[in-house]
Amino acid sequence: MTTQLDARIPSGPLADKWTKHRAESKLVNPNNKRKFDILVVGSGLAGASAAASLAELGYHVKCFCFQDSARRAHSIAAQGGINAAKNYQNDGDSVFRLFYDTIKGGDFRSREANVYRLAEVSANIIDQCVAQGVPFAREYGGLLANRSFGGAQVSRTFYARGQTGQQLLLGAYQALSDQINMGGVKMFPRSELLDLVIVDGHAKGIVVRDLKTGEISSFPGDAVVLATGGYGNVFYLSTNARGCNVSATYRAYKRGAFFANPCYTQIHPTCIPVGGPYQSKLTLMSESLRNDGRVWVPKNKGESRRPDQIPEAERDYYLERKYPSFGNLAPRDIASRSAKEVCDEGRGVGPGGLGVYLDFAESIRRLGEQTIRERYGNLFDIYHNITGENAYQVPMRIYPAVHYTMGGLWVDYNLMSNVPGLHVLGEANFSDHGANRLGASALMQGLADGYFVIPCTIANYLATQLGKKVSPDRPEFRAVEEEVRGRVKKLLSIKGKRSATSFHQELGLLVWEQCGMARSRDGLKDALQKIGPLREEFWENLNVLGGQQELNQSLEQAGRVADFLEFAELMCLDALEREESCGGHFRVEYQTEEGEAVRNDKDFCHVTAWQYTGPDSKPVANIEPLVFENVKLAQRSYK
């Protein structure tokens, strides 16, 4: 039985919705704020900014992260920049243009109201971060510098060389640390959420495991905020940190939260190619490099000459050729598919022919090597440390890889899931990016959700919860704790012959091949047939070394892989039932003769929010229609 999804989008003109919603939202007075306990899970940009902002308002906040410090959240890895409609360059940018580029970049599979709000608050984010001391790059005259990213024809991306995520996270960490010092936030590092506690239909607590001691304990709260990132590591090899996982959101899904658009995965075109069979993760080279680097491959198949020996007439600058209006700054999904296409034709470079060149020779001649060093120096250093090649002298070799996930838990305009009290921020929710995220938008969404949206909207829920505190002694907490202990005990008791990592590698390769850059009906059906038996073998042949009451990273990994083995099935099911190509979701059956994606707006202009119905039954697909009143649905073109 499907559920009617109410996104609680305010009425009225698009540009007035957020202002109107704030004016009409419920309030909690300062004295009552001190009566509420909020549990924030995750301490990246979304989690740290939310925890700090909520504590500053007067709420009591407990913040949990599985790292030893909030500074080690994966947000630190974002390199290229953060978008904002400041129009410093006076090049025609505006809130509406940022909104439209984001809607179009997501292939018209996002909510208008959420995306417009994101564009609207983007300028405030920059002001907030500058006030915190984030060292954005500046022009000679002192104004903040901007550069371009894929899918835009204006310069709206603010940056701090190639370490923007690190600098923004340090700003949020500074705000979080201040609130920890003042007693507004209590921090729980090295604590991993293993389940969600539902009381009378509301999210009222969490169960966590102390990763140092193995202790399993419950924490009650008046609301739960998940800011736990995405699920890209289902593919095993991705640009994500090794610890990134789906467990928090998948646990919430099994407790009743709807999982929206799980098949939407972003493939980033600018990653260092795989170096060998035992590699554990991939390394991103920022999209910002495409401002000054030109992407090309040889025109001839099987070319064996060094790149400097291949004359210009024998080079194919295929993005400039195919998409002259955007060139090397075509959106990530399009640039990724184009790279795969030329490599599949046999024109790829490097080992196995799985690479294309990103060449800075022309920019170095035009601007000088020192300017390129100032803009991207640390990125070139990373590339040199990994490959041993000097990209100032020879082109980088890059290839697409899994980077970001646009699917996540379904949320309404208040960022609350269908489970009352459970709020979801940043990459963990589905709300803003549709079928493809434009570059420099992840940092924007994380900080918008944490600094500006949830501090306002969470009061709509909490105002209804005065006097409704729950005790951790309630049977619901004891029952979930026992389930968690039983799951941990089972993982340790199997004593088989395979490691969790070996299962993860096998699953990742299967999902990459059948639900990665290109998907087909037959391939997805094949994946669904193979995931089940692999999961059965996992529960029969897993070997986890060590015990429960200790630091045990094998046990941590096993729990996360167990969730990936279930989630991968949901992901492939969603991809199979979405019979269209849009954004990063490319079904080979739905393409033009030129290989461009063909959307099906008649049947699939909606969000698919999956509802868990038990281990042995198919999940239910709940539909939220997407209504476009301010933009015209059109086939994307970047030519």
Side-chain angles (χ1 to χ4, degrees), residues 74-375:
H74 186 58
S75 301
I76 204 169
Q79 297 169 339
I82 176 171
N83 287 331
K86 284 284 197 181
N87 195 31
Y88 282 165
Q89 270 59 42
N90 195 28
D91 55 2
D93 201 10
S94 65
V95 169
F96 186 87
R97 210 175 280 274
L98 173 54
F99 154 75
Y100 181 76
D101 285 348
T102 306
I103 286 280
K104 178 183 175 183
D107 219 346
F108 302 92
R109 292 294 178 261
S110 315
R111 272 198 210 127
E112 278 193 339
N114 286 69
V115 177
Y116 193 90
R117 176 175 64 187
L118 178 65
E120 189 176 356
V121 304
S122 65
N124 296 336
I125 298 171
I126 303 304
D127 295 340
Q128 168 94 359
C129 294
V130 169
Q132 290 174 334
V134 173
F136 287 118
R138 293 181 181 268
E139 303 288 1
Y140 180 77
L143 286 177
L144 299 183
N146 285 147
R147 56 191 178 199
S148 298
F149 260 61
Q153 291 181 305
V154 296
S155 295
R156 63 163 67 102
T157 304
F158 295 78
Y159 63 96
R161 296 187 74 186
Q163 50 185 249
T164 313
Q166 178 180 6
Q167 298 303 328
L168 291 172
L169 185 62
L170 288 173
Y173 177 71
Q174 170 186 286
L176 177 63
S177 298
D178 184 49
Q179 290 302 317
I180 293 171
N181 182 59
M182 295 176 66
V185 177
K186 186 173 182 181
M187 195 74 203
F188 294 84
R190 302 297 288 155
S191 299
E192 182 167 29
L193 182 147
L194 294 186
D195 220 325
L196 183 71
V197 180
I198 306 295
V199 178
D200 297 331
H202 291 240
K204 290 296 182 182
I206 60 175
V207 175
V208 303
R209 179 174 182 268
D210 185 311
L211 297 183
K212 293 184 294 183
T213 67
E215 180 184 1
I216 292 172
S217 54
S218 298
F219 291 86
D222 296 289
V224 177
V225 176
L226 293 186
T228 52
Y231 47 85
N233 274 348
V234 67
F235 294 93
Y236 186 72
L237 285 180
S238 80
T239 66
N240 291 186
R242 291 288 294 146
C244 294
N245 61 83
V246 76
S247 289
T249 49
Y250 193 72
R251 296 283 111 208
Y253 163 71
K254 295 187 77 171
R255 292 294 175 188
F258 296 166
F259 211 115
N261 300 335
C263 76
Y264 283 167
T265 306
Q266 179 176 86
I267 313 296
H268 198 294
T270 318
C271 301
I272 298 177
V274 177
Y278 301 108
Q279 192 163 335
S280 61
K281 75 176 298 294
L282 298 172
T283 302
L284 174 69
M285 288 286 99
S286 170
E287 181 178 314
S288 62
L289 292 168
R290 292 198 278 151
N291 275 278
D292 291 303
R294 300 179 70 192
V295 180
W296 65 276
V297 291
K299 289 184 177 180
N300 302 319
K301 297 181 180 179
E303 180 63 71
S304 60
R305 289 177 290 178
R306 297 197 315 266
D308 61 332
Q309 295 179 334
I310 301 174
E312 283 288 316
E314 297 180 32
R315 300 181 180 188
D316 180 13
Y317 294 91
Y318 57 89
L319 288 177
E320 298 173 31
R321 169 175 56 81
K322 294 172 65 177
Y323 308 102
S325 294
F326 285 75
N328 296 302
L329 287 172
R332 291 175 176 179
D333 60 320
I334 288 174
S336 295
R337 283 201 300 276
S338 296
K340 181 180 186 299
E341 181 181 290
V342 295
C343 290
D344 288 348
E345 291 173 358
R347 296 193 287 138
V349 300
L354 292 177
V356 300
Y357 288 129
L358 182 60
D359 196 339
F360 294 86
E362 190 273 334
S363 292
I364 289 174
R365 285 194 297 269
R366 177 168 49 87
L367 301 170
E369 184 176 314
Q370 184 57 33
T371 297
I372 300 300
R373 286 184 181 275
E374 290 171 357
R375 292 178 178 176

Side-chain angles (χ1 to χ4, degrees), residues 56 58 64 127 148 194 198 291 320 477 483 509 529 563:
E56 191 166 355
F64 302 81
D127 295 340
S148 298
L194 294 186
I198 306 295
N291 275 278
E320 298 173 31
F477 284 87
E483 284 187 42
L509 181 60
Q529 289 176 350
D563 289 329

